[in-house]
């Protein structure tokens, strides 16, 4: 009886608990908006006090030029979204950015899925066989030090050349593969860490039930790994966007946001605000990808004790 | 009648042949009959957990053999002939109370409705009916440990192996849990092997107390406890209860004396004493 009284009344307790999580998230959104605003204010402040033609500190030319040519006003950038891409063109630049972002999103998502699948497979292999972990992990780390810019033309050159039976390697797949190349790494490392995070007594418990390795993997190791996998997948989601955009930039693949960044950058002298619309588009895309993982996080972690993870 | 547990001439060494070799158990013999409640007591590092893990076949002995339920320990493990509970309840955070209790049944391939029925039955046994849908982290330590006991007994194993299951509980909860454990094991006629640090706990629960000593780990005494089948709050104030406590304490102390006279012989390397 005294024991039952000691327990936290879970029914009435779970409601504020869920609300806490909700408020927590709401606050995060607020802080994010505030941070954006702060960056905008700092930008405008620099435009007021900064040197118009750049400046040198101890002989180093590091202070950027504060003129409207190099640093357009924040409101000019935002207003640019509503104007046509070029004078006389139908539609606003926003629609162009959106369609570019949609194109890049599809490639990034494909890259994310491929990368996540490869990363998960590697993590399971490494968790199963210590030998594989010792042999493979150093190479995975090294793989991430290869500059993507160097790799991009190579992978893109497969396009149209590679025939696997009836399957012809399409050009867009190269960009997705480069996204996957950046995405698989955090997934592999984070998932491996999560899979091996199950407490030894829990593993012993499964052994005492004569559970197979597979049963232990799905009933213990993967559920225990979720708190490690969520941030890893979030990283992978944004990394896949970076990979695809770099692939577009370095190979000139048309249709995506990367190509728009190049095109608009060329027009920077005549139309300085324009390139920023494409940069914002790329950033928003990364956030959107991370947001998708965030939704998965909320769903998967809804019944977990929050405090244990923070 | 086959013994519930049969440990014959068992030794266990860790890191064999290396400079850090540990002789965790040496020449251990122990036979436990069905229906017994046997406690193992002794100072830290005397091999209590090792002995329990050998019975559970989570470890293989270096020499000797272990039988459970008349079968080799490995076969008994594969047949889920025993349930296990540790100091940490070790409930899975992502499963509610019922699903935690269902875990061993799920691994055995029982179908959903049969699993659920058995789990609710077990929760009734440990008096947690109203908490079936709660998440583990919403329960107190004592309640979590009761869920762990329900999970260990869900498949109705004839044997329950427990490693300091109440070690993390406060004194009041602990005494309550001891009485509950006796009731549960009485109702299910389960044989129990129970590792503990606490002399009163060992005496209150057991039909036999096995006293162990370290370096190397071995059994030094086996003390029969006959306090009658019905143990309740009065048992703890019974002079016979205190007499047994004294007897176990002296057995533990006698072992201390023996090992200190050993130490008086050849000089011991520094730091050996508090290992
Ligand atoms: N996996 C292991 N590897 C090496 N030594 C171990 C291992 N498990 C236990 N030991 C050693 O064996 C001895 C007995 O340990 P244990 O059975 O856990 O003791 P107790 O449970 O009585 O405190 C200790 O000296 C301990 O350090
Ligand atoms: Mg121990």
């Amino acid at each position: 009886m005294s024991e039952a009284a000691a327990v936290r009344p879970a029914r009435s307790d779970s409601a504020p608990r869920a609300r806490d999580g909700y408020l927590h998230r709401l606050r995060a959104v607020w802080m994010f908006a505030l941070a954006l605003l702060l960056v905008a204010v700092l930008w405008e402040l620099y435009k007021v006090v900064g040197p118009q033609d750049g400046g040198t500190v101890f002989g180093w030319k590091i202070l950027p030029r504060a003129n409207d040519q190099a640093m357009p006003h924040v409101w000019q950038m935002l207003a640019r979204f509503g104007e046509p891409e070029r004078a006389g063109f139908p539609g606003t630049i926003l629609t162009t950015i959106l369609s570019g972002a949609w194109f890049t999103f599809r490639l990034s998502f494909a890259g994310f899925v491929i990368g996540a699948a490869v990363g998960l497979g590697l993590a399971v292999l490494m968790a199963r066989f210590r030998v594989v972990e010792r042999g493979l992990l150093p190479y995975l780390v090294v793989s991430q030090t290869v500059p993507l810019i160097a790799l991009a033309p190579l992978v893109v050159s497969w396009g149209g050349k590679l025939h696997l039976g009836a399957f012809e390697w399409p050009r867009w797949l190269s960009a997705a593969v480069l996204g996957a190349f950046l995405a698989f790494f955090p997934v592999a490392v984070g998932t491996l860490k999560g899979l091996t995070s199950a407490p030894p007594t829990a593993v012993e418990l499964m052994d005492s039930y004569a559970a197979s390795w597979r049963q232990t993997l799905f009933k213990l190791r993967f559920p225990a790994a979720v708190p490690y996998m969520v941030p890893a997948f979030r990283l992978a989601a944004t990394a896949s966007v970076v990979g695809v955009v770099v692939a577009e930039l370095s190979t000139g693949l048309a249709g995506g946001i990367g190509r728009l960044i190049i095109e608009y950058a060329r027009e920077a002298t005549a139309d300085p605000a324009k390139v920023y619309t494409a940069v914002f588009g790329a950033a928003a895309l990364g956030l959107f990808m991370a947001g998708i993982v965030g939704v998965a996080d909320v769903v998967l972690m809804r019944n977990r004790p929050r405090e244990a993870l923070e | 009648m086959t013994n519930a547990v049969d440990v014959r001439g068992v030794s266990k060494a860790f890191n064999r042949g290396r400079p850090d070799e540990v002789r965790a158990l040496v020449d251990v013999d122990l036979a436990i009959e069905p229906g017994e409640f046997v406690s193992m007591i002794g100072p830290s590092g005397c091999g209590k957990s090792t002995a329990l893990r050998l019975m559970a076949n989570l470890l293989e002995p270096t020499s000797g053999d272990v039988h459970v339920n008349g079968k080799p320990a490995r076969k008994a493990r594969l047949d889920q002939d025993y349930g296990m509970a540790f100091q940490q309840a070790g409930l899975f955070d992502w499963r509610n109370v019922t699903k935690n209790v269902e875990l061993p049944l799920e691994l055995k391939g029982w179908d959903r409705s049969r699993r659920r029925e058995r789990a609710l039955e077990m929760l009734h046994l440990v008096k947690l009916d109203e908490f079936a849908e709660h998440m583990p982290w919403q329960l107190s330590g004592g309640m979590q440990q009761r869920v762990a006991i329900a999970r260990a007994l869900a498949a109705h194993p004839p044997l329950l192996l427990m490693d300091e299951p109440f070690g993390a509980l406060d004194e009041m909860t602990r005494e309550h849990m001891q009485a509950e454990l006796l009731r549960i094991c009485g109702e299910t006629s389960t044989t129990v092997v129970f590792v503990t640090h606490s002399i009163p706990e060992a005496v209150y629960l057991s039909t036999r107390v096995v006293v162990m000593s370290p370096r190397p780990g071995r059994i030094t005494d086996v003390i029969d406890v006959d306090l009658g089948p019905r143990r309740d709050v009065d048992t703890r104030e019974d002079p016979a209860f205190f007499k047994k406590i004294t007897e176990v304490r002296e057995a533990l102390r006698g072992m201390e004396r023996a090992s200190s006279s050993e130490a008086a012989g050849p000089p011991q390397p520094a730091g050996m004493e508090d290992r």
Side-chain angles (χ1 to χ4, degrees), chain A residues 253-265:
Chain A
L253 183 66
I257 205 107
R259 176 64 171 262
L260 290 179
I261 292 178
I262 307 186
E263 281 178 14
Y264 295 179

Side-chain angles (χ1 to χ4, degrees), chain A residues 12-61:
Chain A
S12 57
D13 192 43
S14 58
R17 190 178 273 280
R19 193 146 17 91
D20 280 354
Y22 186 67
L23 283 178
H24 195 257
R25 258 154 230 291
L26 209 67
R27 230 188 72 184
V29 171
W30 260 111
M31 293 305 276
F32 179 71
L34 213 66
L36 275 187
L37 195 68
L38 193 70
V39 170
V41 168
L42 284 177
W43 178 277
E44 290 299 330
L45 207 64
Y46 183 81
K47 281 182 65 62
V48 174
V49 302
Q52 285 298 303
D53 291 308
T56 54
V57 175
F58 303 122
W60 297 51
K61 196 162 174 20

Side-chain angles (χ1 to χ4, degrees), chain A residues 16 18 23 40-41 46 59 61 99 124 127 130 141 157 199 210 237 253 256 277 290:
Chain A
L23 283 178
V41 168
Y46 183 81
K61 196 162 174 20
S99 79
V124 169
R130 288 301 310 274
V141 175
S157 73
L253 183 66
T277 59

Side-chain angles (χ1 to χ4, degrees), chain A residues 81 97 257 260-261 264 273-283:
Chain A
F81 276 110
I97 298 286
I257 205 107
L260 290 179
I261 292 178
Y264 295 179
K274 196 174 184 182
V275 66
Y276 286 96
T277 59
V279 170
F280 288 158

Side-chain angles (χ1 to χ4, degrees), chain B residues 48-50 53 163-164 195:
Chain B
K48 305 182 293 291
S49 299
T50 302
R53 281 177 170 73
D163 195 347
E164 298 184 37
V195 167

Side-chain angles (χ1 to χ4, degrees), chain A residues 3 7-8 10-11 14 17 201-202 204-211 215 219-220 223-224 303-305, chain B residues 53 58 77-78 80 82 86 92-95 104 106-107 134-135 137-140 142-143 146 151 176:
Chain A
E3 209 193 326
V7 74
R8 286 181 269 164
R11 269 284 154 261
S14 58
R17 190 178 273 280
T201 48
E204 266 192 340
L205 187 77
M206 294 301 279
D207 287 344
S208 82
Y209 295 136
Q215 286 177 318
K219 299 210 185 281
L220 171 63
N303 277 333
R304 305 271 188 126
Chain B
R53 281 177 170 73
L58 296 171
R77 177 171 65 88
L78 296 179
Q80 285 198 28
Y82 66 84
F86 302 93
F92 292 179
D93 263 347
W94 51 90
R95 288 171 169 249
E106 222 174 287
L107 295 169
H134 281 55
M135 298 308 287
W137 40 270
Q138 296 173 317
L139 306 183
S140 69
M143 298 171 92
R146 280 200 263 171
R151 177 179 65 184
H176 178 63

